[in-house]
């Protein structure tokens, strides 16, 4: 279950076409421009092409866990600003509507920045999710709150923060988690030896629950352990340690969890796409 975040330039389906060309098992996309508030309605032709390609690949069943969306970077469900909070809720609701229409089972979202009061920020995220869930009854897409590097007042750098949000939500079954290896390293979780990596995964399961994470972001970290620096590096080129990735790819409980690269794009000196090289390295660790 190895894949990457791929571009939807020229049409949503192009991400699936590229995933097939690169022989990936899964893919993550933005379903719309992630840096603009304005959101165009989902194009019916784009939707039809996407769904047809899912069927061709055998990825149509939600239980296949082959597709992941990432929400807009503008969304801040923890914001104390009422106008921004409501705008964020509206955009996140639209993100889930697009995921449901495209049969994408997981929508990864950053918890947001509290900008002053951590406890109040956690409650605002839960309240936002509750409002969205009431507006979208019966939806199957799961919001996956992502671990963060912990810069500034961003929430999610501690596993307990993610768990608390889920506990506060009225429909916790509609909330899951995404573990990002770069972010947890930058947040201070040391996975640089096999024993430490195994201990961090045990701690995540203990705090966040069995069946978690629903999504994995496999990125090496430019910043050191505890640096709170969110900079991604190619696998084996950063500070996470190969033990971090080895623990994940060898864990039977994570075998069917989509493992998404968000590492720098481009080709190496031999003309091989870096996504391909990174996946090869991960597969060798298995």
């Amino acid at each position: 279950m190895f894949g990457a975040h791929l571009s939807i330039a020229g049409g949503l389906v192009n991400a699936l076409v590229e995933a097939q060309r690169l022989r990936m098992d899964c893919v993550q996309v933005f379903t719309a421009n992630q840096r603009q508030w304005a959101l165009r309605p989902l194009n019916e032709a784009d939707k039809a092409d996407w769904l047809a390609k899912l069927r061709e690949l055998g990825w149509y069943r939600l239980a296949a866990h082959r597709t992941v969306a990432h929400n807009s970077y503008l969304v801040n469900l923890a914001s104390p600003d009422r106008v921004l909070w409501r705008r964020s809720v509206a955009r996140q609701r639209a993100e889930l509507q697009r995921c449901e229409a495209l049969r994408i089972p997981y929508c990864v979202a950053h918890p947001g920045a509290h900008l002053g009061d951590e406890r109040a920020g956690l409650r605002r995220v839960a309240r936002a999710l509750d409002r969205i869930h009431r507006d979208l009854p019966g939806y199957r897409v799961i919001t996956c709150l992502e671990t963060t590097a912990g810069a500034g007042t961003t929430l999610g750098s501690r596993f307990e923060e993610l768990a608390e949000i889920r506990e506060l939500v009225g429909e916790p079954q509609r909330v899951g988690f995404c573990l990002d290896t770069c972010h947890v390293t930058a947040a201070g979780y040391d996975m640089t030896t096999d024993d430490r990596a195994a201990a961090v995964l045990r701690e995540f399961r203990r705090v966040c629950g069995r069946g978690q994470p629903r999504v994995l972001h496999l990125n090496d970290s430019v910043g050191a352990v505890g640096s709170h620096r969110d900079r991604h590096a190619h696998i084996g080129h950063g500070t996470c340690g190969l033990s971090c990735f080895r623990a994940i790819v060898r864990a039977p409980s994570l075998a069917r969890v989509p493992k998404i690269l968000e590492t720098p794009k481009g080709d190496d000196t031999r003309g091989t796409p870096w996504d391909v090289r990174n996946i090869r390295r991960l597969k060798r660790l298995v």
Side-chain angles (χ1 to χ4, degrees):
M1 292 291 287
F2 295 109
H5 187 108
L6 297 178
S7 172
I8 60 167
L12 279 164
V13 73
N14 288 341
L16 296 178
V17 172
E18 182 68 354
Q20 181 182 35
R21 185 182 76 84
L22 298 178
R23 299 184 179 182
M24 294 180 179
D25 309 303
C26 50
V27 69
Q28 178 178 279
V29 297
F30 295 120
T31 66
N33 191 316
Q34 76 278 16
R35 299 190 185 278
Q36 293 182 5
W37 284 110
L39 192 62
R40 294 180 182 178
L42 186 60
N43 182 283
E44 286 301 316
D46 275 352
K47 174 183 170 182
D49 289 344
W50 171 273
L51 295 177
K53 192 65 178 177
L54 286 183
R55 290 189 180 93
E56 178 190 327
L57 293 171
W59 294 9
Y60 188 78
R61 291 187 308 112
L62 294 178
H65 309 305
R66 301 289 184 174
T67 53
V68 179
H70 198 299
N71 75 340
S72 168
Y73 293 137
L74 300 175
V75 170
N76 183 6
L77 300 178
S79 176
D81 183 295
R82 291 185 179 182
V83 173
L84 179 56
W85 184 83
R86 288 175 183 146
R87 203 173 191 185
S88 296
V89 169
R91 176 60 188 253
Q92 185 62 22
R93 183 193 302 114
E95 298 270 3
L96 296 190
Q97 288 172 321
R98 294 169 82 89
C99 287
E100 193 78 5
L102 296 168
R103 296 186 66 82
I104 297 175
Y106 302 127
C107 180
V108 172
H110 296 175
H114 61 77
L115 304 177
D117 187 329
E118 178 183 305
R119 302 291 300 180
L122 295 170
R123 290 193 295 269
R124 284 191 292 269
V125 177
R127 190 165 72 249
L129 293 171
D130 279 342
R131 177 173 295 190
I132 293 167
H133 294 162
R134 285 195 301 270
D135 292 344
L136 304 175
Y139 270 45
R140 293 164 294 180
V141 57
I142 293 174
T143 299
C144 295
L145 299 173
E146 183 176 353
T147 56
T148 62
T153 66
T154 55
L155 297 170
S157 63
R158 292 184 293 110
F159 300 157
E160 289 80 3
E161 292 173 356
L162 298 180
E164 184 168 348
I165 293 171
R166 191 169 189 262
E167 289 169 3
L168 291 170
V169 170
E171 296 182 77
Q173 71 277 12
R174 298 177 69 172
V175 178
F177 304 118
C178 170
L179 189 151
D180 184 305
T181 52
C182 168
H183 296 173
V184 297
T185 294
Y189 291 95
D190 188 345
M191 301 181 75
T192 55
T193 69
D194 290 329
D195 288 345
R196 290 172 183 172
V200 169
L201 291 182
R202 285 197 301 270
E203 178 72 0
F204 186 85
R205 283 192 292 269
R206 183 188 69 79
V207 174
C208 294
R210 296 182 64 183
Q212 301 293 343
R214 297 298 189 99
V215 178
L216 286 153
H217 285 170
L218 299 190
N219 306 302
D220 217 326
S221 175
V222 171
V225 176
S227 66
H228 303 298
R229 191 179 178 198
D230 184 3
R231 285 279 308 282
H232 298 182
H234 296 300
I235 305 301
H237 291 215
T239 63
C240 290
L242 288 180
S243 53
C244 166
F245 304 105
R246 187 160 52 236
I248 288 169
V249 302
R250 292 183 182 179
S253 63
L254 301 178
R256 290 192 52 76
V257 175
K259 300 166 186 67
I260 304 294
L261 293 167
E262 296 176 318
T263 44
K265 299 297 184 184
D267 297 343
D268 66 9
T269 55
R270 297 181 180 180
T272 303
W274 273 106
D275 282 343
V276 171
R277 276 199 58 180
N278 284 318
I279 288 175
R280 285 176 182 168
R281 183 146 210 188
L282 290 168
K283 287 183 175 179
R284 285 198 295 270
L285 294 176
V286 178

